[in-house]
Amino acid sequence: MKHALVTGASRGIGRAIAQRLAASGWNVLINYQSNVDAAAETLRLVCDAGGSGELMPFDVTDTCAVNAAFENWRGQHHKEYISLIVNNAGIRDDQVMLFMEKKSWDRVVQTSLDGFYNVTQPLLKDMMRHRNGRIISLASISGLKGMPGQTNYSAAKAAIVGATKALALEVAQRGITVNAIAPGFIATDMTASLDQEELKSQIPAGRFGTPDEVAALADFLASDQAAYITGQVVSINGGLYT
Ligand code: NAP
């Protein structure tokens, strides 16, 4: 059985990716931070559709908690390994730099960037040994072009782009691909407070994207057909930034 870990899979884009991967035959490890009910709902959706999954709670910023969760999983799945990571967990905490507190900077950068390290590094060895793996991380249009009020978030997501490109070069010969997805505005809890009516007039496609549309892209990048795509950042933004 193929195992895929999706961080932040209790809601939004992560939930949609978990559902899509399960439909493609992956056993999905559904990570979340604290929202037990939402994560259980993701698992229910996966199972009701005939897929398989399991819950794997941890805070991606907590190195010890991540390692403990992996050790526990390995103890229950002898000789198996996680061959797909979707680094999706992310938060935003917007404020113009002039008034940004250090804790807002740290929380946002640690979730996206330290989360990338904490989750990816310990799983890499198994992928290299098996000469097989896929690593997909959620960047953002904000990390490509910068967004006012998001220096923390833009920095974190730009860093994901750099990490993706560097790691892709390190592991390409081992049959592992490393790519990033850079969404524009996607309708989830993260964007619920934004004024969709006002913003969609700026989007050439005239609407926010759906989590399912992002999930379809992740599913493709995870597939065998995408074996020759690596080190790329694929935008999905309705034409907002080309
Ligand atoms: P969301 O609806 O706010 O969901 C965030 C998910 O991340 C939840 O499952 C949450 O778990 C989890 N999470 C947050 N902090 C965590 C931590 N420290 N450890 C583990 N899990 C954690 O977000 P979304 O809109 O689906 O965004 C998903 C990813 O896409 C993020 O990386 C985001 O930056 C990126 N993105 C989103 C958009 C957009 O328009 N929505 C655009 C560009 C990029 P709990 O439920 O337990 O809190």
Side-chain angles (χ1 to χ4, degrees), residues 5 22-23 29-30 35-36 40 51 54 56 62 66 69 93 103 108 110 112-113 123 150 153 157 179 199 204 221 225:
L5 168 63
L29 315 185
I30 299 163
N35 203 330
V36 189
E54 44 195 299
M56 188 186 265
D62 184 339
V66 177
D93 188 359
K103 68 175 186 328
V108 170
Q110 283 165 3
S112 277
L113 187 56
L123 298 179
Q150 292 198 320
Y153 187 79
K157 295 304 191 181
N179 292 291
L199 284 166
L221 290 173
Q225 290 95 315

Side-chain angles (χ1 to χ4, degrees), residues 7-14 31-35 38 58-61 87-91 111-112 138-141 153 157 182-191:
T7 66
S10 48
R11 296 182 277 127
I13 293 169
N31 163 258
Y32 61 101
Q33 182 177 26
S34 57
N35 203 330
F58 56 74
D59 177 346
V60 295
T61 70
N87 287 306
N88 167 80
I91 55 167
T111 305
S112 277
L138 270 292
S140 167
I141 188 173
Y153 187 79
K157 295 304 191 181
F185 291 107
I186 308 299
T188 67
D189 291 349
M190 184 177 277
T191 53

Side-chain angles (χ1 to χ4, degrees), residues 185 195-208:
F185 291 107
D195 185 343
Q196 267 207 43
E197 283 312 306
E198 190 197 316
L199 284 166
K200 70 188 189 185
S201 64
Q202 300 168 23
I203 303 170
R207 64 175 177 86
F208 277 25

Side-chain angles (χ1 to χ4, degrees), residues 115-187:
F116 176 94
Y117 174 86
N118 287 339
V119 170
T120 306
Q121 201 280 339
L123 298 179
L124 209 48
K125 202 172 179 180
D126 278 339
M127 290 187 188
M128 295 189 74
R129 194 181 298 131
H130 288 88
R131 296 184 166 269
N132 173 45
R134 292 277 188 279
I135 298 165
I136 301 166
S137 303
L138 270 292
S140 167
I141 188 173
S142 185
L144 301 181
K145 68 177 279 292
M147 293 274 196
Q150 292 198 320
T151 51
N152 50 357
Y153 187 79
S154 294
K157 295 304 191 181
I160 287 296
V161 171
T164 294
K165 288 179 177 290
L167 183 57
L169 301 179
E170 291 182 14
V171 299
Q173 282 207 326
R174 293 280 180 153
I176 302 167
T177 69
V178 190
N179 292 291
I181 293 175
F185 291 107
I186 308 299

